Amino acid sequence: MSEPRIPLLPTLMTAGNILCGYVATLQIFDGRHLADISHYHNAILLILAACVFDALDGRVARFSGSESAFGRELDSLADIVSFGVAPALLVHDIVLKDLNTPKGLGWAISCLYLVCGAIRLARFNCIAAMDTKSSSKNFCGCPIPAAAGVISSLTLLVIWLDSNEREIGNWKYALAALMVALSLIMGSNLESPSFKSVNWRTRRSINWVLAAITLIVLTVMFWQWMPAVIFVSYLLYGLVRPWISRKWQQEIEEE
């Protein structure tokens, strides 16, 4: 059996994803041992950077015509590190470890998230392998990068509010409940948009371009809470999408 030909640029993007996830995990351990919140900030930013790499690798592969089974498998291995292990450790350290009623609840929630994420990735690979000619523009279940983006960006928001001495209260418990919900959504049959049609050749009206520029500027200026707005908006859109007209769906998702 001959060795698979490895596409260079998509593989470099996926390697960036893996490295971000690994260094994020190291930062989480540093934050735990050194009791320094800045390490958790770094871990969250690295997880969000991994989301960017994950979005780029598939688009680069499609643009260059180098999609392959090798790339799909490597991408899933990267995702379980960056969007499974790292977010589960992060939320456990910051929120879940304080949930001691009943004992071990925090561990159970983080483990549930990780296992559901792994099942989500395995199911995606099986579907892709069985239907190699599929042109579906939807994901079955919430994709794990989006789930990690939601949980990590909201954790960043919680840390920011706490550092500004704002009252968090029971919102930490809401974050734990959200992690359980995301675990179930990843394993559900809910169709989530992939936005695969948005690529280097996408053309939009001037209003769409200005809105995109404004979004980028706001995200840079208000990096503490804008990622949460973006990822939560994607999650909510996926949930209400079945009740949105086909015309609006095409306007939002298509070229």
Side-chain angles (χ1 to χ4, degrees):
M1 183 179 294
S2 60
E3 290 289 328
R5 302 288 289 180
I6 301 175
L8 179 61
L9 289 179
T11 302
L12 290 177
M13 296 295 104
T14 307
N17 178 356
I18 297 172
L19 292 174
C20 284
Y22 174 66
V23 178
T25 303
L26 294 179
Q27 287 291 309
I28 293 166
F29 282 117
D30 285 343
R32 176 189 298 177
H33 295 143
L34 302 176
D36 186 350
I37 200 69
S38 65
H39 291 289
Y40 291 119
H41 274 129
N42 295 338
I44 293 170
L45 295 178
L46 284 163
I47 292 171
L48 297 179
C51 291
V52 176
F53 279 115
D54 183 71
L56 288 175
D57 63 3
R59 281 164 173 78
V60 170
R62 285 189 292 273
F63 183 75
S64 60
S66 56
E67 290 180 283
S68 65
F70 174 87
R72 184 173 62 244
E73 297 298 330
L74 182 63
D75 185 66
S76 291
L77 293 173
D79 287 355
I80 198 60
V81 175
S82 300
F83 310 129
V85 175
L89 282 173
L90 174 74
V91 179
H92 179 269
D93 266 24
I94 295 176
V95 176
L96 300 179
K97 68 180 180 182
D98 296 327
L99 300 180
N100 295 320
T101 306
K103 186 177 181 180
L105 179 60
W107 278 106
I109 292 175
S110 59
C111 288
L112 175 67
Y113 172 85
L114 181 58
V115 171
C116 287
I119 292 173
R120 164 72 180 79
L121 291 169
R123 182 174 67 169
F124 172 81
N125 284 353
C126 288
I127 293 173
M130 289 186 294
D131 190 7
T132 56
K133 297 182 180 179
S134 174
S135 59
S136 175
K137 296 179 181 178
N138 300 318
F139 291 122
C140 184
C142 178
I144 191 172
V150 169
I151 205 69
S152 299
S153 60
L154 287 175
T155 303
L156 177 63
L157 177 60
V158 167
I159 293 174
W160 177 63
L161 292 173
D162 195 38
S163 65
N164 284 296
E165 298 182 353
R166 292 180 172 89
E167 183 64 31
I168 300 298
N170 292 328
W171 283 109
K172 287 187 176 182
Y173 295 96
L175 193 61
L178 177 62
M179 200 167 192
V180 174
L182 286 171
S183 302
L184 299 178
I185 294 173
M186 281 193 290
S188 72
N189 291 322
L190 176 74
E191 287 193 343
S192 300
S194 67
F195 292 104
K196 289 181 180 180
S197 61
V198 179
N199 54 43
W200 316 112
R201 294 178 179 145
T202 298
R203 296 176 181 270
R204 289 286 191 168
S205 68
I206 186 65
N207 291 333
W208 278 100
V209 174
L210 291 175
I213 294 173
T214 302
L215 183 65
I216 294 171
V217 171
L218 289 175
T219 303
V220 173
M221 291 177 61
F222 305 106
W223 59 271
Q224 301 94 335
W225 53 268
M226 271 302 295
V229 172
I230 294 171
F231 281 103
V232 171
S233 296
Y234 174 83
L235 178 65
L236 293 177
Y237 174 69
L239 294 174
V240 304
R241 185 169 175 260
W243 293 276
I244 296 177
S245 69
R246 180 67 63 177
K247 179 181 178 181
W248 273 100
Q249 288 183 34
Q250 292 177 344
E251 178 68 19
I252 294 170
E253 301 169 28
E254 303 290 332
E255 291 188 61

